[in-house]
Amino acid sequence: MGLKGTALGESRVEKLKNCIVYRSRMKLWIIRVTTSVLLWICLVQLTILGENWGPRVLKGWPSCFSHESTALLVVKSSPAVPARVLPPKRVYRNNGYLMVSCNGGLNQMRSAICDMVAIARYLNVTLIVPELDKTSFWADPSEFQDIFDVDHFITSLRDEVRILKELPPRLKSRVELGTIHTMAPISWSDISYYHNQILPLIRKHKVVHLNRTDARLANNGQPMEIQKLRCRVNFGALKFTPQIEELGRKVIRLLREEGPVMVLHLRYEMDMLAFSGCTQGCNKEEVEELTRMRYAYPWWKEKIINSDLKRRDGLCPLTPEETALTLRALDIDPSIQVYIAAGEIYGGERRMASLAAAYPNLVRKETLLEPSELRFFQNHSSQMAALDYLVSLESDIFVPTYDGNMAKVVEGHRRYLGYKKTILLHRRLLVDLIDQHNSGSLTWDEFSTAVKEAHAERMGNPTKRLVIPDRPKEEDYFYSNPWECLEPSYEDETLSNI
């Protein structure tokens, strides 16, 4: 009995020891799990705070909730596309948030976006993806992401400026209540204006909304890093959506299959003529229609216009008839494909007859593509303009008949691509030569020689921008000739002023 009792006691002691060990292990396991959960919650909170309050030291930490958090992150869009390594995020103290509403057509907004990125970078603020104009003449409802690859825009610039698709929730409600500070910055301002005038407002209000962005940054006299960044945004970060890029490549391929291509940006559309008051070649009914349209838009400030005087000053787009004479005088091959990058030409086939007779291979995107391929682009003028932009970049020759925003931005982009041939028409001289030829004062040979001589140095060749102190509207536009970003460099002795 004694031995049996001893054995039973030892068994109970052993069970008690095992129970204590088991409980100790359970406590340790519970402590570990609880600690892990708490650490995970802290990490989540820190990540959220980092995203809301701007770049800090935390921005260097990897985040499980963002595919953009590490400096060496590899992005793969599809198995066929090579891996892309994103640039590291720039770490800076965030001074606040900048919202912008662009105004105008596609290329006016494009250049404004480039300016706003440079300004946000200089002010060390977070830029919200720009809002595009929906109230202009074209009334295009497209959002930024409908035209541009928004993810590429954000990630490709992450080493320069932080860009968000929308404000953090705590600030977004202020927009909805209309309590944010809204203003239009002064046109053609030096970058120091934004540091001295705009930055204090951002620090005070946390969010500033710039509601007009066209031509708000000066062409010249800016720090080299600002000019370089404007170019980087324009030529690298602002890619069109894959759908637009794909359709643009198809148009270019169809054109290439038939030979050389000249893109003619024939700015002879109803809105352009009504706005400018240029009525050369229009009949009485058309002049009245254009005048009524001009008065119908109160923000078109100039109402009474002398069309003849404006034309003689070179301030009117060339008519289709004048364009045909000019191209012939320049010895452009009559068999070349002429892609019309424009909307509907005012006057239709009647006004296009002389151009079609001189250059019978006239094509448009509407004649190259099936209606079903353009269906989703209809009533979206900026998306249609984006297709024309892509074709214009790739053409053998680009000829704008007016120096609007598309003409200027395409000119600069073609310079960037290797000074591709861009014929910059000297309209004031041309209309005088054309009038002399039509009146019999100049023979065809004399007219053609004079036109060629006038344009020998107007083919998009290297040159410095014309600077006119205190008259920025009259000097050369930065985006038409961003020579700081081009080769040969600005130090090259071949550069000259025109």
PDB file of all heavy atoms in Angstrom, residues 436-457:
ATOM      1  N   GLN A 436      -0.420  89.508-103.511  1.00  0.00           N
ATOM      2  CA  GLN A 436       0.337  89.999-104.668  1.00  0.00           C
ATOM      3  C   GLN A 436       0.259  89.004-105.821  1.00  0.00           C
ATOM      4  O   GLN A 436       0.091  89.399-106.991  1.00  0.00           O
ATOM      5  CB  GLN A 436       1.802  90.225-104.288  1.00  0.00           C
ATOM      6  CG  GLN A 436       2.053  91.410-103.371  1.00  0.00           C
ATOM      7  CD  GLN A 436       3.527  91.646-103.148  1.00  0.00           C
ATOM      8  OE1 GLN A 436       4.287  91.854-104.105  1.00  0.00           O
ATOM      9  NE2 GLN A 436       3.953  91.598-101.891  1.00  0.00           N
ATOM     10  N   HIS A 437       0.356  87.717-105.503  1.00  0.00           N
ATOM     11  CA  HIS A 437       0.277  86.701-106.566  1.00  0.00           C
ATOM     12  C   HIS A 437      -1.121  86.678-107.187  1.00  0.00           C
ATOM     13  O   HIS A 437      -1.262  86.619-108.429  1.00  0.00           O
ATOM     14  CB  HIS A 437       0.631  85.333-105.998  1.00  0.00           C
ATOM     15  CG  HIS A 437       0.378  84.206-106.957  1.00  0.00           C
ATOM     16  ND1 HIS A 437       1.062  84.068-108.149  1.00  0.00           N
ATOM     17  CD2 HIS A 437      -0.518  83.178-106.917  1.00  0.00           C
ATOM     18  CE1 HIS A 437       0.633  83.002-108.791  1.00  0.00           C
ATOM     19  NE2 HIS A 437      -0.331  82.442-108.075  1.00  0.00           N
ATOM     20  N   ASN A 438      -2.143  86.724-106.357  1.00  0.00           N
ATOM     21  CA  ASN A 438      -3.517  86.674-106.872  1.00  0.00           C
ATOM     22  C   ASN A 438      -3.862  87.907-107.711  1.00  0.00           C
ATOM     23  O   ASN A 438      -4.678  87.833-108.634  1.00  0.00           O
ATOM     24  CB  ASN A 438      -4.508  86.546-105.716  1.00  0.00           C
ATOM     25  CG  ASN A 438      -4.477  85.165-105.086  1.00  0.00           C
ATOM     26  OD1 ASN A 438      -4.047  84.192-105.704  1.00  0.00           O
ATOM     27  ND2 ASN A 438      -4.938  85.065-103.844  1.00  0.00           N
ATOM     28  N   SER A 439      -3.206  89.036-107.406  1.00  0.00           N
ATOM     29  CA  SER A 439      -3.473  90.264-108.172  1.00  0.00           C
ATOM     30  C   SER A 439      -2.629  90.344-109.437  1.00  0.00           C
ATOM     31  O   SER A 439      -2.807  91.257-110.251  1.00  0.00           O
ATOM     32  CB  SER A 439      -3.200  91.489-107.298  1.00  0.00           C
ATOM     33  OG  SER A 439      -1.810  91.601-107.002  1.00  0.00           O
ATOM     34  N   GLY A 440      -1.704  89.402-109.619  1.00  0.00           N
ATOM     35  CA  GLY A 440      -0.855  89.395-110.796  1.00  0.00           C
ATOM     36  C   GLY A 440       0.450  90.137-110.626  1.00  0.00           C
ATOM     37  O   GLY A 440       1.251  90.231-111.559  1.00  0.00           O
ATOM     38  N   SER A 441       0.723  90.666-109.415  1.00  0.00           N
ATOM     39  CA  SER A 441       1.969  91.414-109.183  1.00  0.00           C
ATOM     40  C   SER A 441       3.177  90.494-109.094  1.00  0.00           C
ATOM     41  O   SER A 441       4.307  90.923-109.345  1.00  0.00           O
ATOM     42  CB  SER A 441       1.855  92.231-107.886  1.00  0.00           C
ATOM     43  OG  SER A 441       0.791  93.146-107.963  1.00  0.00           O
ATOM     44  N   LEU A 442       2.938  89.234-108.701  1.00  0.00           N
ATOM     45  CA  LEU A 442       4.021  88.247-108.609  1.00  0.00           C
ATOM     46  C   LEU A 442       3.701  87.063-109.501  1.00  0.00           C
ATOM     47  O   LEU A 442       2.576  86.536-109.465  1.00  0.00           O
ATOM     48  CB  LEU A 442       4.182  87.757-107.165  1.00  0.00           C
ATOM     49  CG  LEU A 442       4.855  88.681-106.136  1.00  0.00           C
ATOM     50  CD1 LEU A 442       4.867  87.995-104.778  1.00  0.00           C
ATOM     51  CD2 LEU A 442       6.271  89.031-106.558  1.00  0.00           C
ATOM     52  N   THR A 443       4.671  86.636-110.304  1.00  0.00           N
ATOM     53  CA  THR A 443       4.496  85.406-111.064  1.00  0.00           C
ATOM     54  C   THR A 443       4.571  84.228-110.098  1.00  0.00           C
ATOM     55  O   THR A 443       4.992  84.371-108.938  1.00  0.00           O
ATOM     56  CB  THR A 443       5.595  85.250-112.129  1.00  0.00           C
ATOM     57  OG1 THR A 443       6.855  85.082-111.466  1.00  0.00           O
ATOM     58  CG2 THR A 443       5.633  86.471-113.036  1.00  0.00           C
ATOM     59  N   TRP A 444       4.185  83.037-110.579  1.00  0.00           N
ATOM     60  CA  TRP A 444       4.251  81.854-109.701  1.00  0.00           C
ATOM     61  C   TRP A 444       5.678  81.599-109.242  1.00  0.00           C
ATOM     62  O   TRP A 444       5.912  81.318-108.064  1.00  0.00           O
ATOM     63  CB  TRP A 444       3.687  80.624-110.413  1.00  0.00           C
ATOM     64  CG  TRP A 444       3.881  79.393-109.561  1.00  0.00           C
ATOM     65  CD1 TRP A 444       4.804  78.413-109.712  1.00  0.00           C
ATOM     66  CD2 TRP A 444       3.152  79.082-108.369  1.00  0.00           C
ATOM     67  NE1 TRP A 444       4.700  77.500-108.704  1.00  0.00           N
ATOM     68  CE2 TRP A 444       3.690  77.882-107.863  1.00  0.00           C
ATOM     69  CE3 TRP A 444       2.092  79.700-107.685  1.00  0.00           C
ATOM     70  CZ2 TRP A 444       3.204  77.273-106.707  1.00  0.00           C
ATOM     71  CZ3 TRP A 444       1.605  79.093-106.537  1.00  0.00           C
ATOM     72  CH2 TRP A 444       2.170  77.901-106.055  1.00  0.00           C
ATOM     73  N   ASP A 445       6.633  81.686-110.135  1.00  0.00           N
ATOM     74  CA  ASP A 445       8.026  81.424-109.762  1.00  0.00           C
ATOM     75  C   ASP A 445       8.518  82.431-108.728  1.00  0.00           C
ATOM     76  O   ASP A 445       9.223  82.064-107.777  1.00  0.00           O
ATOM     77  CB  ASP A 445       8.925  81.456-110.992  1.00  0.00           C
ATOM     78  CG  ASP A 445       8.725  80.250-111.898  1.00  0.00           C
ATOM     79  OD1 ASP A 445       8.190  79.242-111.408  1.00  0.00           O
ATOM     80  OD2 ASP A 445       9.100  80.322-113.084  1.00  0.00           O
ATOM     81  N   GLU A 446       8.165  83.690-108.905  1.00  0.00           N
ATOM     82  CA  GLU A 446       8.563  84.720-107.935  1.00  0.00           C
ATOM     83  C   GLU A 446       7.907  84.470-106.577  1.00  0.00           C
ATOM     84  O   GLU A 446       8.544  84.599-105.522  1.00  0.00           O
ATOM     85  CB  GLU A 446       8.182  86.108-108.461  1.00  0.00           C
ATOM     86  CG  GLU A 446       8.996  86.561-109.659  1.00  0.00           C
ATOM     87  CD  GLU A 446       8.447  87.830-110.280  1.00  0.00           C
ATOM     88  OE1 GLU A 446       7.223  88.091-110.145  1.00  0.00           O
ATOM     89  OE2 GLU A 446       9.225  88.575-110.908  1.00  0.00           O
ATOM     90  N   PHE A 447       6.647  84.110-106.625  1.00  0.00           N
ATOM     91  CA  PHE A 447       5.911  83.813-105.395  1.00  0.00           C
ATOM     92  C   PHE A 447       6.522  82.620-104.674  1.00  0.00           C
ATOM     93  O   PHE A 447       6.793  82.675-103.460  1.00  0.00           O
ATOM     94  CB  PHE A 447       4.438  83.542-105.737  1.00  0.00           C
ATOM     95  CG  PHE A 447       3.626  83.009-104.599  1.00  0.00           C
ATOM     96  CD1 PHE A 447       3.313  83.810-103.515  1.00  0.00           C
ATOM     97  CD2 PHE A 447       3.172  81.693-104.615  1.00  0.00           C
ATOM     98  CE1 PHE A 447       2.550  83.316-102.461  1.00  0.00           C
ATOM     99  CE2 PHE A 447       2.411  81.189-103.571  1.00  0.00           C
ATOM    100  CZ  PHE A 447       2.103  82.000-102.486  1.00  0.00           C
ATOM    101  N   SER A 448       6.773  81.536-105.408  1.00  0.00           N
ATOM    102  CA  SER A 448       7.336  80.323-104.812  1.00  0.00           C
ATOM    103  C   SER A 448       8.718  80.585-104.222  1.00  0.00           C
ATOM    104  O   SER A 448       9.026  80.131-103.112  1.00  0.00           O
ATOM    105  CB  SER A 448       7.410  79.213-105.862  1.00  0.00           C
ATOM    106  OG  SER A 448       7.965  78.031-105.322  1.00  0.00           O
ATOM    107  N   THR A 449       9.547  81.318-104.942  1.00  0.00           N
ATOM    108  CA  THR A 449      10.899  81.628-104.436  1.00  0.00           C
ATOM    109  C   THR A 449      10.825  82.429-103.144  1.00  0.00           C
ATOM    110  O   THR A 449      11.562  82.156-102.184  1.00  0.00           O
ATOM    111  CB  THR A 449      11.690  82.407-105.496  1.00  0.00           C
ATOM    112  OG1 THR A 449      11.824  81.604-106.668  1.00  0.00           O
ATOM    113  CG2 THR A 449      13.070  82.780-104.974  1.00  0.00           C
ATOM    114  N   ALA A 450       9.935  83.413-103.116  1.00  0.00           N
ATOM    115  CA  ALA A 450       9.801  84.258-101.924  1.00  0.00           C
ATOM    116  C   ALA A 450       9.308  83.449-100.721  1.00  0.00           C
ATOM    117  O   ALA A 450       9.786  83.636 -99.590  1.00  0.00           O
ATOM    118  CB  ALA A 450       8.845  85.411-102.202  1.00  0.00           C
ATOM    119  N   VAL A 451       8.392  82.526-100.952  1.00  0.00           N
ATOM    120  CA  VAL A 451       7.872  81.684 -99.864  1.00  0.00           C
ATOM    121  C   VAL A 451       8.968  80.771 -99.317  1.00  0.00           C
ATOM    122  O   VAL A 451       9.122  80.622 -98.091  1.00  0.00           O
ATOM    123  CB  VAL A 451       6.657  80.862-100.347  1.00  0.00           C
ATOM    124  CG1 VAL A 451       6.259  79.826 -99.292  1.00  0.00           C
ATOM    125  CG2 VAL A 451       5.472  81.772-100.658  1.00  0.00           C
ATOM    126  N   LYS A 452       9.747  80.170-100.203  1.00  0.00           N
ATOM    127  CA  LYS A 452      10.824  79.281 -99.757  1.00  0.00           C
ATOM    128  C   LYS A 452      11.885  80.041 -98.964  1.00  0.00           C
ATOM    129  O   LYS A 452      12.369  79.556 -97.934  1.00  0.00           O
ATOM    130  CB  LYS A 452      11.471  78.607-100.976  1.00  0.00           C
ATOM    131  CG  LYS A 452      10.587  77.563-101.642  1.00  0.00           C
ATOM    132  CD  LYS A 452      11.225  77.098-102.945  1.00  0.00           C
ATOM    133  CE  LYS A 452      10.278  76.185-103.696  1.00  0.00           C
ATOM    134  NZ  LYS A 452      10.750  75.900-105.072  1.00  0.00           N
ATOM    135  N   GLU A 453      12.255  81.208 -99.442  1.00  0.00           N
ATOM    136  CA  GLU A 453      13.263  82.002 -98.734  1.00  0.00           C
ATOM    137  C   GLU A 453      12.770  82.412 -97.347  1.00  0.00           C
ATOM    138  O   GLU A 453      13.539  82.404 -96.376  1.00  0.00           O
ATOM    139  CB  GLU A 453      13.615  83.248 -99.562  1.00  0.00           C
ATOM    140  CG  GLU A 453      14.419  82.941-100.819  1.00  0.00           C
ATOM    141  CD  GLU A 453      14.691  84.187-101.650  1.00  0.00           C
ATOM    142  OE1 GLU A 453      14.104  85.255-101.309  1.00  0.00           O
ATOM    143  OE2 GLU A 453      15.454  84.108-102.625  1.00  0.00           O
ATOM    144  N   ALA A 454      11.505  82.726 -97.242  1.00  0.00           N
ATOM    145  CA  ALA A 454      10.943  83.172 -95.967  1.00  0.00           C
ATOM    146  C   ALA A 454      10.888  82.056 -94.934  1.00  0.00           C
ATOM    147  O   ALA A 454      10.884  82.321 -93.721  1.00  0.00           O
ATOM    148  CB  ALA A 454       9.541  83.744 -96.192  1.00  0.00           C
ATOM    149  N   HIS A 455      10.864  80.804 -95.407  1.00  0.00           N
ATOM    150  CA  HIS A 455      10.702  79.675 -94.478  1.00  0.00           C
ATOM    151  C   HIS A 455      11.937  78.784 -94.371  1.00  0.00           C
ATOM    152  O   HIS A 455      11.880  77.736 -93.725  1.00  0.00           O
ATOM    153  CB  HIS A 455       9.486  78.839 -94.892  1.00  0.00           C
ATOM    154  CG  HIS A 455       8.185  79.568 -94.726  1.00  0.00           C
ATOM    155  ND1 HIS A 455       7.682  80.406 -95.694  1.00  0.00           N
ATOM    156  CD2 HIS A 455       7.312  79.619 -93.694  1.00  0.00           C
ATOM    157  CE1 HIS A 455       6.538  80.924 -95.276  1.00  0.00           C
ATOM    158  NE2 HIS A 455       6.295  80.468 -94.056  1.00  0.00           N
ATOM    159  N   ALA A 456      13.035  79.221 -94.969  1.00  0.00           N
ATOM    160  CA  ALA A 456      14.259  78.397 -94.929  1.00  0.00           C
ATOM    161  C   ALA A 456      14.722  78.119 -93.508  1.00  0.00           C
ATOM    162  O   ALA A 456      15.243  77.036 -93.209  1.00  0.00           O
ATOM    163  CB  ALA A 456      15.371  79.091 -95.723  1.00  0.00           C
ATOM    164  N   GLU A 457      14.527  79.086 -92.602  1.00  0.00           N
ATOM    165  CA  GLU A 457      14.946  78.924 -91.206  1.00  0.00           C
ATOM    166  C   GLU A 457      13.750  78.753 -90.268  1.00  0.00           C
ATOM    167  O   GLU A 457      13.860  79.016 -89.072  1.00  0.00           O
ATOM    168  CB  GLU A 457      15.784  80.133 -90.772  1.00  0.00           C
ATOM    169  CG  GLU A 457      17.064  80.319 -91.564  1.00  0.00           C
ATOM    170  CD  GLU A 457      18.011  79.134 -91.402  1.00  0.00           C
ATOM    171  OE1 GLU A 457      18.061  78.584 -90.284  1.00  0.00           O
ATOM    172  OE2 GLU A 457      18.674  78.758 -92.390  1.00  0.00           O
TER     173      GLU A 457
END
